Amino acid sequence: MVRTPRGRNGSTPAQSHPQSARHPVPPEFTPRLRLKPKADSAGYVDGAWWPRSPDLTLELPDLLAVLTVRLGPIWRVVYDPAGWSPAPQQTTIGDKVIRLDAYRFEVWNTMYVFGRDTGMIVLRVIPSATDDDRAHAALMAAVDPEPVALS
């Protein structure tokens, strides 16, 4: 039996980087996401995502529920940690364990989502605190048929 150390008031100590997080499968919110058509391979990114908070493990279940339709089962997410609060090394959504890898990208606020069988989707992540009009413009620019430089 594994015991968790407890403080004087009976609470467990806070962990800044837990090893895993667990989430149910059904999405609670429709992600604010725009994807290029599957056949459109122009440009670096495949779309853009505007999460509602800087908590990656809270935001991923809804996003991955949608991306699973295109990629099949997802096994890994590589993300730019600059835009997120500290996240664990993995999260569990339903009965699937998803590996989370923080990596400081050359292109700021980029996320790679890997399907288990094949495929990858590259997303530009729009910070959650972005003004509504700017975020909407960035979502639309990411799927514009004319490639747009990322800033």
Side-chain angles (χ1 to χ4, degrees):
M1 175 179 191
V2 177
R3 292 194 174 266
T4 303
R6 297 199 179 274
R8 276 188 262 186
N9 64 0
S11 65
T12 58
Q15 293 182 356
S16 60
H17 296 283
Q19 293 297 310
S20 182
R22 181 173 285 281
H23 299 279
V25 173
E28 291 186 36
F29 299 100
T30 302
R32 299 182 294 190
L33 172 72
R34 293 288 183 269
L35 293 173
K36 292 179 182 176
K38 198 172 185 177
D40 184 353
S41 62
Y44 181 72
V45 298
D46 299 305
W49 175 44
W50 181 28
R52 289 175 171 80
S53 80
D55 184 335
L56 183 64
T57 59
L58 181 67
E59 296 295 329
L60 276 179
D62 293 341
L63 174 69
L64 299 185
V66 171
L67 295 182
T68 297
V69 172
R70 190 176 282 195
L71 289 174
I74 294 168
W75 74 279
R76 182 178 184 207
V77 174
V78 179
Y79 65 96
D80 177 0
W84 300 100
S85 46
Q89 295 173 348
Q90 66 183 29
T91 187
T92 303
I93 302 172
D95 62 349
K96 305 282 189 261
V97 175
I98 313 295
R99 182 174 152 184
L100 302 177
D101 292 314
Y103 183 78
R104 294 200 182 278
F105 290 98
E106 185 176 319
V107 179
W108 178 76
N109 262 4
T110 307
M111 175 181 282
Y112 291 80
V113 180
F114 295 88
R116 184 177 2 175
D117 300 324
T118 59
M120 171 183 70
I121 290 178
V122 180
L123 295 174
R124 176 171 185 211
V125 179
I126 301 158
S128 59
T130 304
D131 167 83
D132 288 0
D133 291 335
R134 287 183 138 180
H136 179 74
L139 283 168
M140 300 313 288
V143 297
D144 191 311
E146 296 296 319
V148 176
L150 297 178
S151 55

